[in-house]
Amino acid sequence: MNTSLSWIKAYVPGLEAEAQEYTDAMTLSGTKVEGFEELDADLDKIIVGQIDKIKGHPDADKLIICQVNIGDGSVQIVTGADNVHEGDKIPVVLAGGRVAGGHEPGTRVAGGIKIKKGKLRGVESDGMMCSIEELGSSRDMYPEAPEEGIYIFPDEVEVGADAVEALGLHDVVFEYEVTSNRVDCYSVIGIAREAAATFGKEFVPPAVGQTGNEEDAGDYIKVTVENTDLCPRYCARVVKNIKVGPSPEWMQRRLASVGIRPINNLVDITNYVMEEYGQPMHAYDLDTIEGKEIIVRTAEAGEKFVTLDGQERLMDESVLMICDGQKSIGIAGIMGGENSMITDDVKTMLFEAACFDGTNIRRSSKKVGLRTDASGKFEKGLDPNNAQAAIDRACQLVEELGAGEVVGGIVDVYGKKKEPVRVPFDADAINSLLGTDISKEEMLGYLERVGLNYDESSDEIVAPTFRHDIFCLADLAEEVARFYGYDNIPSTLPKGEATTGKLSFKLRVEEVARNIAEFCGFSQGMTYSFESPKVYDKLMIPAESPLRNAVEIMNPLGEDYSIMRTTPLNGMLASLATNYNRRNKNVRLYELGNIYLPKSLPLTELPQERMQFTLGMYGDGDFFSMKGVVEEFFEKAGLHEKETYDPDAGKPYLHPGRQANIIYDGAVVGYLGEVHPDVADTYGIGEKAYVAVIDMPEIVERATFDRKYTGIARFPAVTRDISMVMPKDILVGQVEETIEKKGGAYLESYALFDLYEGAQIKSGYKSVAYSIVFRAKDRTLNDADVTEAMERILKALEGMGIELRK
């Protein structure tokens, strides 16, 4: 987006700022200026002169000697230009002055070219007459300038006046980097509003009054919008008795300053309003519109259309077209058609100002291979409420420039009206967010500068519809911050728990998991969350298992990465297999990673993400080694109650006799076991492998880092050993549960120290031995205290069918 400073000043009358000052202030207030070009750079001592007398050079046929009146005297200039005559008013660079460059466009010289007195073929020349290129400009900006030769001023220009000012070159063109959420700043009015707010000046937008005669535009044209989603608003007005001609100099200069070549008054008006209001417009020859009807519809498949540039374009059903009663006459938001173009013979004209879907315009522009200034603005998503203001401004310019007679009324097809956004206002919350101490009144003053008005009755800020970026309190805080001045906001420490340097509770529990795993010899691994559906067959998961209900990825890299994992085992077993195939021994790996469990399929909401602590190993170690790691983790995570193990886990990928669910506080918090031999063989693991998977959300819910200090025992412990023979189907966990229940208040600990199955024990039985420790905190236990507790334990064990070995 480019604007000239003079155009901005037209709407901010009190603005006085140098180019660099303007650049810095606008950038700091949020409207970033990428750079600027001073049009009068390197132009010095250039005035309007008038040629009083011309005579030929005595020694050169192609040179002439001119006596030039410069207001307070006369100078002699020798020139080779052949387009000057006596009485012409021309730009003159006096000796000691500077011009911008050479005769060719774009040949501006850094620092300019200094003009000195000299002699041409023996005749003194006290200055130089200038072409428009030598003044650093071009015929694009000054179409009245000759292709070659000296620029000729109109008769009304005063002799001796500043020629640079007469040409309007005391100006600066700024280039802005506008973010896509600030569509309002893709217009001169939007930039001017920001400049007025930045410099604390009054913003004076163009005053647009009622235009048009006593007729009704509805009698001239009918508008039907078939696709209101792609065209939420379409405004049309009619101008008759058209008078095509050049636009005034001030309009040509403003258009040229932003890179738009002036053409004629009608085309220039549409381009001018597009830049001024940020609303693209288009003009059609009403006499070429069949049935005097406009229909906005999508194109037909394979439809061909010739645009204004004479190129034939191929359409499809997604491209929105502007049509009359019989044919297409324009590609909506991109370019009009050759069949309805404005020519010098136009009598009646239809003005169009519409709002189109930005995404559709961008896609259509790519499909037809045509991007224009209009499509560049439409694709940002324009404010439909701006369309009528823009078309009324265009009609006002038509009347002011005498370009035609405006027909009264407007044809306006507007479905669901866009309403302003309301955001609750809270000055204290804004100050807390920014770390400032700005009064409520000062904040409201900043917001009012950019059209964000305060509704005192509801304590809300009403954001106008052209502000697409205001939705919440943080957006209001940003507005306050940029006009208060980011450099005025004091440095403060952030508030909240983060300043104490602590990890969140969840991350602290995960840190414990890492520490325990690494202490026990496990190395961390990371595997993909994307997997193949074939994983379920490799793990022998039944077809009806809920684990097969996985989230499918819409654009997968391939079948092997087409679903989100519902179990972490595939990644762990694949990593163990890789290590085994590379002949690494005694491998222990762990991973903390999410699984993704959909709440329903197809997805209606985001799936549940659950962190899993997965352990895997082969080599040294067995089922009980893995169980020990799990118990160590539970203890360090503050799960002080005794976990239990249910051998009926029913995991098809684990060995049927060497697996268990981990039960804590009545809930299954994970499982562990030996990998099923068939699964291990499928993955290529040639020895016994063991895994454990712990559901971290269940652990985090029950974990605690509260610790209670217990002093060193002051009294001695009493130890009793028992050896038992029991059926193999009785688990040692059941024995330990009995010892805990019957051990009484003095029971301190117990430990399994022997487990034997063999020839000395009868078939179907096993021998188990425990060491049981008793201790009192307030006295030394006597034999009777311990004997009583042991009798309760032994009696309960005998009731389970366990025999005490004597």
Side-chain angles (χ1 to χ4, degrees), residues 551-574:
V551 177
E552 294 185 5
I553 299 169
M554 293 179 63
N555 55 339
L557 297 175
E559 185 183 5
D560 290 343
Y561 304 96
S562 60
I563 62 170
M564 302 297 289
R565 66 182 177 186
T566 57
T567 172
L569 284 180
N570 176 65
M572 177 58 69
L573 293 178

Side-chain angles (χ1 to χ4, degrees), residues 38-46 93 96-101 108-109 111-113 130-137 142 162-165 167-171:
E38 295 176 297
L39 301 183
D40 60 355
D42 308 321
L43 301 181
D44 186 29
K45 296 179 71 174
I46 304 176
V93 186
R98 290 180 181 273
V99 293
R108 194 170 195 133
V109 178
I113 299 174
C130 302
S131 68
I132 199 66
E133 288 78 15
E134 288 167 329
L135 297 175
S137 191
Y142 295 87
D162 182 351
V164 177
E165 182 176 351
L167 287 166
L169 290 174
H170 285 312
D171 204 354

Side-chain angles (χ1 to χ4, degrees), residues 493-504 508:
L493 287 174
K495 297 178 181 179
E497 186 177 333
T499 60
T500 63
K502 291 169 57 179
L503 293 173
S504 67
R508 291 174 66 192

Side-chain angles (χ1 to χ4, degrees), residues 641-703:
E641 296 183 16
K642 183 68 176 177
E643 71 279 356
T644 58
Y645 299 87
D646 179 8
D648 296 326
K651 308 295 183 187
Y653 36 81
L654 298 180
H655 192 295
R658 298 166 193 165
Q659 60 172 280
N661 278 334
I662 306 170
I663 313 295
Y664 186 88
D665 193 25
V668 177
V669 297
Y671 59 86
L672 77 162
E674 179 185 327
V675 178
H676 195 289
D678 291 344
V679 174
D681 185 61
T682 300
Y683 278 89
I685 305 174
E687 57 181 285
K688 292 182 179 179
Y690 300 89
V691 294
V693 178
I694 300 171
D695 190 38
M696 291 300 289
E698 295 284 355
I699 301 301
V700 171
E701 181 182 338
R702 296 169 172 81

Side-chain angles (χ1 to χ4, degrees), residues 58-74:
D59 295 324
D61 294 339
K62 294 186 178 181
L63 296 178
I64 56 175
I65 303 171
C66 301
Q67 302 299 322
V68 181
N69 177 15
I70 58 173
D72 57 355
S74 180

